[in-house]
Every structure is written in C-alpha cells, then in structure tokens.
Amino acid sequence: MTDKLRTRILSTSLIIGFFLLWEVLCVLLNVSDLVLPRPSEIVVTMWDRFPVLWPHILQTLYSTLVGFGLGVTIGVTLGVIVGTSKVAYAVAYPLLVGFSSIPKVAVVPIFVLWFGSGTTPAILTAMVICVFPIVVNIATGLATTEPELEDVLKTMGASKSEILWNVGLPRAMPYFFASLKVAITLSFVGAVLSETVASNMGIGFVMMTASSNFQVSLVFSGLILLALMGVALYAIFSLLERRVTGWATRGNDIAIT
C-alpha cells in the first residue's frame, strides 16, 4: 500500500468516524433535534428538500463565483501595481489594510443602500472580501524576485514589462494560487453573509428562514452544502495549482492527496 493511498484511507476513515461519533452521541445523550440534529436526519432533510434547495444553491454559487472573478481581476491588478512600485506600495497598502480591517457585515448595508437587496450586494461583498489576500500574495510573489536576476536581465536589454511578464509573474504563480484557495472560501462567506441580511434567494436566505422557523436540520443542511461547495472549489484550484506550478511543489496538497 502506497503512502498516498494510506493517507486517503486514513483521512476518509476520520471523516466517517467524526459523523458516526456525532450520530452516536446524539442518540446516547438524547440530544434534542432543536439543539443538534443527527447527521442521518440532516441527510434525509437535504434529500427531501433538494428540489427546493437547488435554485438557492445555484444562486449562492453564482454570486460567489462572479464576486470571486471580479475580486481576482481587481486583486491581481492591484497586486502587480503594489508589487512593482514603491510609491504605490507606500500609498495603496495602508489603504488596503485599513479597508480589509473593516468587518464586512458593516459594508453590506451600504451596498444594499446603493444597489438594493438581491444579487448585487452578495456579489460585491464576495468581491471585496477576497481582494486583500490576492493583492498581498501577488505583491509578495513579485517582491521575492531576486534583484540579481533582474540586474542580469536588464544588462541583456530586457525592459521592465518583459522582466515582469517573463520572470516576475511566473515566480508569483505559487503565491497567486495560494491566495485563490483562500479567496474562494472567503467569497462564500461574503456571499452568504449578504444573503442573510438582504436577499430572498441563496443558501444564506434559506438558513435564516429555517432558523426563524426552528428548522434546525435545514439550517445544518445549508451548512453542509456550503462546506461541500467550498471543498469542491478548493480542490479544483489545488488541481490547477499542481498543473501550473508543479515545479514549485515540494509537498503533498492535503486537498487532493
């Protein structure tokens, strides 16, 4: 048995064991379903309500991916500017740190005031919450380019744009994909946060409605669905990372091994 197969078996066993322990403890301790529903009940709820949940799943996934795409575009642009210009670093970086320190739940009402309730605030919240890690990682990746290598390229007649395109950005790819795996999970947080505040669609809306009606198993179903979507997208970006930056990988990626 290879180490890779052994690791997969162990990780799968631990996950299954966690849910089995959850089920057994709920039965033995006679835990009320209003406090903590059993995993079996959550699965039954998801199965029975899936036709109703499916449009909300698509809505949350749409808001998350659109906001994530916008955040990546803005983050990469700002990251390149900040990472290649000392003036931009001195001006923009403190502003980015200050903005990222603002709780995003405080930003949602502003988006609702500007754009009304619905999809747009969810997209914008998902966007703003994932910009900062991308900017930081891109700027860090560009800053790690060896000055000696840049000097050699300059002596060979390479321009700043050629150095950036042929050396800086490829060297920043491992940092970029690391930020993508963080940003996609944060985008889910932003989208669901907005859906709980000002939306009539999405998993966040379903969870808020279910909690107000004491449908705890449906609330946990929403949590499980969000976790599954997050893990799936994380694994996709981990696979892309291996394909694009395999030269920089020195260890196993826990998401796909």
Side-chain angles (χ1 to χ4, degrees):
M1 183 182 298
T2 63
D3 291 338
K4 189 174 183 179
L5 179 60
R6 187 181 298 109
T7 301
R8 286 184 175 179
I9 294 175
L10 178 60
S11 61
T12 303
S13 300
L14 289 175
I15 294 172
I16 295 174
F18 169 77
F19 286 103
L20 288 176
L21 180 62
W22 180 354
E23 181 84 18
V24 171
L25 289 177
C26 286
V27 173
L28 293 179
L29 299 178
N30 196 25
V31 179
S32 172
D33 293 337
L34 293 177
V35 177
L36 183 64
R38 302 187 307 275
S40 58
E41 183 181 355
I42 296 172
V43 171
V44 170
T45 300
M46 280 195 294
W47 178 264
D48 292 339
R49 304 295 294 272
F50 190 77
V52 178
L53 290 172
W54 180 243
H56 297 281
I57 294 172
L58 293 180
Q59 175 65 26
T60 298
L61 196 59
Y62 170 78
S63 300
T64 299
L65 292 179
V66 173
F68 173 74
L70 293 174
V72 170
T73 303
I74 296 173
V76 170
T77 303
L78 291 177
V80 171
I81 295 173
V82 171
T84 55
S85 172
K86 293 182 179 180
V87 176
Y89 179 89
V91 174
Y93 205 79
L95 294 176
L96 289 169
V97 172
F99 184 76
S100 68
S101 302
I102 299 174
K104 299 307 176 284
V105 68
V107 178
V108 176
I110 298 177
F111 290 151
V112 174
L113 181 64
W114 289 347
F115 304 101
S117 60
T119 303
T120 302
I123 291 175
L124 294 177
T125 308
M127 177 190 72
V128 299
I129 202 172
C130 73
V131 167
F132 185 71
I134 296 175
V135 173
V136 171
N137 278 272
I138 290 292
T140 301
L142 293 175
T144 57
T145 303
E146 295 86 347
E148 297 82 2
L149 180 59
E150 294 183 357
D151 293 337
V152 171
L153 293 173
K154 288 179 181 178
T155 59
M156 297 175 64
S159 63
K160 288 185 177 180
S161 60
E162 289 175 335
I163 295 174
L164 173 65
W165 183 257
N166 294 296
V167 178
L169 291 178
R171 292 292 299 272
M173 283 296 102
Y175 296 88
F176 174 61
F177 278 99
S179 68
L180 289 185
K181 293 187 291 185
V182 174
I184 190 61
T185 57
L186 292 178
S187 294
F188 270 109
V189 173
V192 173
L193 175 63
S194 180
E195 290 171 353
T196 60
V197 175
S199 181
N200 57 0
M201 282 291 290
I203 297 298
F205 169 75
V206 171
M207 292 173 61
M208 285 297 296
T209 305
S211 63
S212 64
N213 294 323
F214 299 100
Q215 297 175 313
V216 183
S217 60
L218 186 56
V219 175
F220 275 85
S221 297
L223 291 176
I224 297 298
L225 288 172
L226 290 173
L228 291 175
M229 287 189 289
V231 170
L233 290 174
Y234 186 98
I236 290 173
F237 285 115
S238 295
L239 182 61
L240 289 175
E241 180 184 24
R242 284 201 164 190
R243 294 290 183 265
V244 177
T245 64
W247 53 270
T249 303
R250 293 183 173 83
N252 292 329
D253 195 314
I254 59 174
I256 56 174
T257 58

